[in-house]
Amino acid sequence: MSSLNATLSAIVVGALWILILAPVDQIHGTPTGAPIAACESMTPGHGYDAQNSASPFKTEIPTGETAFMDDPVHLELRSLSSGTYFKGFLIMAFDKDDTSATPKPIGTFKLIEGSDGQLMDCSGKVSTAVTHTNNVVKNLVRIDWQPPKYYMGTAIFRTTFVQDVSTFWVKTESISVTFVMPDGSTHDPMKAANV
């Protein structure tokens, strides 16, 4: 019997050391927003694997797939069905043609009053991401994104949605948005001027 007690004591002590030494966000997540360390991979440091199934959440762009150069884009992070909620999120914008292993975020985000969110500085650039401020359940978050000045490309938004500490979807992609001239053309006048 003493052998069993010794084994149980060792297990309890080991579990306590794990709890003491493990970073808090590895156990509980980060209820006040994603840490800067999440910028590159967009993966929460919760200690669990991302979901492989289709996300029950999406990033909608109500204005559609085309926007005029320098016009802001309104975004809605939302649940696909009633009764399904997310607690956390991290969103960034990227140039669709940037296929590098670690693409850099582009543009800047702007918060909409009354919506849960806080700006983050990723890749050394100001306001290039937005994350949650609390872990209250949400089914809709609205934010705005401003493309880089004179941007004439196609942007895509990637969002990590966190339902709970062990259930999350990483880099869920939105539809892409192509920026055009006010006349509707897609040529870049800045490139033509440099020829």
Side-chain angles (χ1 to χ4, degrees):
M1 192 67 161
S2 65
S3 167
L4 178 61
N5 286 339
T7 302
L8 288 175
S9 293
I11 291 170
V12 169
V13 168
L16 285 174
W17 275 113
I18 289 171
L19 290 173
I20 291 168
L21 297 176
V24 173
D25 65 342
Q26 290 283 334
I27 300 166
H28 300 291
T30 49
T32 57
I36 289 295
C39 285
E40 190 171 315
S41 69
M42 295 187 72
T43 302
H46 296 174
Y48 296 93
D49 292 330
Q51 300 299 303
N52 293 328
S53 60
S55 173
F57 313 106
K58 71 177 183 175
T59 302
E60 283 189 345
I61 304 168
T63 55
E65 298 179 32
T66 305
F68 292 124
M69 180 178 64
D70 296 335
D71 278 357
V73 174
H74 179 71
L75 303 163
E76 295 181 351
L77 284 57
R78 61 173 54 243
S79 172
L80 295 176
S81 61
S82 63
T84 305
Y85 301 95
F86 56 97
K87 292 182 177 181
F89 65 90
L90 173 62
I91 182 170
M92 292 192 280
F94 299 91
D95 186 292
K96 189 174 183 178
D97 293 332
D98 184 351
T99 57
S100 64
T102 55
K104 300 296 180 210
I106 61 171
T108 55
F109 286 94
K110 200 168 121 181
L111 300 176
I112 294 177
E113 190 174 335
S115 226
D116 174 34
Q118 61 184 318
L119 299 171
M120 287 180 65
D121 302 342
C122 289
S123 297
K125 297 179 182 178
V126 175
S127 303
T128 52
V130 179
T131 189
H132 54 285
T133 60
N134 60 57
N135 63 355
V136 173
V137 294
K138 311 155 188 44
N139 62 5
L140 176 64
V141 173
R142 293 183 173 105
I143 50 179
D144 284 332
W145 177 77
Q146 183 67 47
K149 192 82 170 152
Y150 306 120
Y151 180 67
M152 292 291 297
T154 300
I156 192 152
F157 299 90
R158 294 185 180 123
T159 308
T160 293
F161 289 99
V162 178
Q163 193 167 38
D164 60 51
V165 72
S166 63
T167 311
F168 53 89
W169 292 262
V170 175
K171 296 182 184 178
T172 301
E173 290 193 351
S174 69
I175 61 168
S176 55
V177 179
T178 300
F179 288 84
V180 299
M181 296 293 293
D183 66 2
S185 66
T186 57
H187 73 277
D188 185 343
M190 301 307 288
K191 286 183 183 173
N194 294 331
V195 175

